[in-house]
Amino acid sequence: MRTTSRYRAVTRMIAAIGVVSLVAACTDNGGATGGGDAGGYPDQNITFVVPFSAGGPTDTVTRMIAEPMAAKLGAKIVVQNVEGAGGTVGAGEVARAKPDGYTVLMHHIGMSTAPALYQNLGYKPLEDFEMVGLVTEVPMTVVARKDFAPATLQDLVTYVKANANKVTLANAGIGAASHLCGLLFQTAAGVKLQEVPYEGTGPALTDLVGGQVDFMCDQTTNTSGQISAGKVKAYAVTTPERVKSLPDLPTTAEAGLPQLQVSVWHGFYVPAGTPQEVVQKLSEALKVALADQGVIDQMAKLGTAPVPAEDATPQAHRAKLEEQLATWAKIIADAGVKAS
């Protein structure tokens, strides 16, 4: 499978630029400059590392909240994409970074699945990171190329069972949210399909729209526009309730596959050993960003919403990670999936 020339051009341009800077005003609370607390933090640029490709769902969420966080912190935030190996390359770099609050990781559900998938991961999520706070939980959607034969989710299950050796299921690589959702679909449907991994959901969705693969799971932050424009066929959303931005799209339970329920939660991390006052300052900036009406409106258009303020904390984030590590360890073990 090859991505379109347009996507390759965009990718080359991003690689050439390296990073995209988000510059915000360096004042807060009536003109008081940031950085007066936490030993002068911040007094230099902060790098937000996204361990996935530019333009993907996690990248979209990160850039959405970086500007209001920068305004609160009184600093310049640079978003840097360090993709590879299901998010583990970028996460590993942050785990090894200086614990001073200037290198921050935005990761999703993959932080909780990597230990079960990778035998030589190189970092331990609960030991090598400090949690800053949760950001959002994004629903997944089951979508297909526009001309794919099955009309409903139940039709899709019946069709893939009868054509398992011919149907292609795209994902963004082992450990990616799209891969995890695809695993759950195959388990729920009782079928094993031919999976086609990509380096990011951007190129995967591009090929789906182009008809080069049959179907995939992907986050609403990536699919809402394509669904609304009629460029893909949508079967269901993988959460207990319908998504406001896609009111006509049934839930998987409504569509007859209640076992397929998953949302992609995101959170910020810093290296273990980062001073607690710095962690708290980042957490407070996160809460401010999540309460920003512009952020709320943008997330709503993409089928998601900020977490409540009480979840944008290190304590709530750690509790979520601990629970998810245990949950996914069993699911991945039962599926017999391992990454190299």
Side-chain angles (χ1 to χ4, degrees):
M1 304 291 175
R2 295 183 177 274
T3 58
T4 63
S5 58
R6 180 181 179 184
Y7 180 83
R8 289 195 298 270
V10 171
T11 302
R12 286 196 297 268
M13 180 179 68
I14 292 171
I17 295 173
V19 296
V20 175
S21 298
L22 292 169
V23 184
C26 291
T27 61
D28 180 51
N29 294 332
T33 58
D37 301 324
Y41 175 86
D43 60 7
Q44 63 188 65
N45 293 352
I46 300 170
T47 298
F48 280 4
V49 174
V50 177
F52 303 103
S53 60
T58 303
D59 180 72
T60 298
V61 171
T62 305
R63 293 172 191 273
M64 191 181 296
I65 64 174
E67 186 171 356
M69 284 189 71
K72 172 61 178 175
L73 290 165
K76 178 179 177 180
I77 291 177
V78 177
V79 179
Q80 184 176 17
N81 299 89
V82 183
E83 58 193 273
T88 62
V89 174
E93 286 196 8
V94 175
R96 295 184 294 272
K98 186 177 179 180
D100 55 9
Y102 292 103
T103 305
V104 181
L105 174 69
M106 166 70 102
H107 209 335
H108 64 25
I109 192 173
M111 183 65 95
S112 62
T113 61
L117 287 167
Y118 294 86
Q119 292 181 321
N120 300 305
L121 186 58
Y123 59 84
K124 296 179 180 179
L126 292 173
E127 297 177 19
D128 294 331
F129 295 94
E130 304 284 351
M131 285 89 241
V132 174
L134 297 170
V135 177
T136 185
E137 289 208 30
V138 183
M140 302 285 288
T141 51
V142 182
V143 294
R145 55 183 169 86
K146 190 175 179 180
D147 59 349
F148 200 38
T152 67
L153 188 63
Q154 282 286 5
D155 292 342
L156 176 64
V157 171
T158 301
Y159 185 89
V160 298
K161 284 183 175 180
N163 300 277
N165 62 332
K166 296 186 293 184
V167 174
T168 51
L169 172 61
N171 62 51
I174 291 179
S178 53
H179 173 243
L180 300 171
C181 182
L183 285 181
L184 288 180
F185 172 85
Q186 292 175 81
T187 298
V191 65
K192 178 64 178 174
L193 300 174
Q194 177 185 347
E195 298 184 61
V196 183
Y198 287 79
E199 292 185 359
T201 50
L205 190 60
T206 296
D207 273 8
L208 186 75
V209 172
Q212 294 170 271
V213 287
D214 294 324
F215 81 110
M216 67 182 292
C217 289
D218 200 4
Q219 299 173 58
T220 55
T221 46
N222 211 35
T223 62
S224 290
Q226 303 287 7
I227 293 171
S228 298
K231 294 183 178 181
V232 296
K233 180 179 289 187
Y235 293 111
V237 61
T238 64
T239 46
E241 297 180 355
R242 293 194 181 197
V243 174
K244 290 182 180 179
S245 62
L246 300 167
D248 296 328
L249 189 62
T251 67
T252 49
E254 291 173 332
L257 201 64
Q259 309 95 311
L260 179 58
Q261 290 199 9
V262 60
S263 60
V264 183
W265 55 275
H266 295 74
F268 278 115
Y269 303 79
V270 289
T274 300
Q276 285 304 302
E277 58 268 28
V278 172
V279 175
Q280 283 303 129
K281 195 159 190 182
L282 285 166
S283 182
E284 289 303 316
L286 173 60
K287 290 176 187 176
V288 169
L290 295 181
D292 182 272
Q293 191 59 49
V295 170
I296 294 170
D297 292 343
Q298 289 180 73
M299 285 193 177
K301 291 178 182 178
L302 297 174
T304 187
V307 300
E310 59 267 25
D311 288 341
T313 64
Q315 297 78 14
H317 189 174
R318 178 170 286 274
K320 178 75 170 182
L321 180 58
E322 289 174 345
E323 179 267 323
Q324 289 280 284
L325 282 164
T327 296
W328 283 102
K330 184 180 186 307
I331 293 172
I332 292 169
D334 289 347
V337 178
K338 286 291 182 184
S340 56

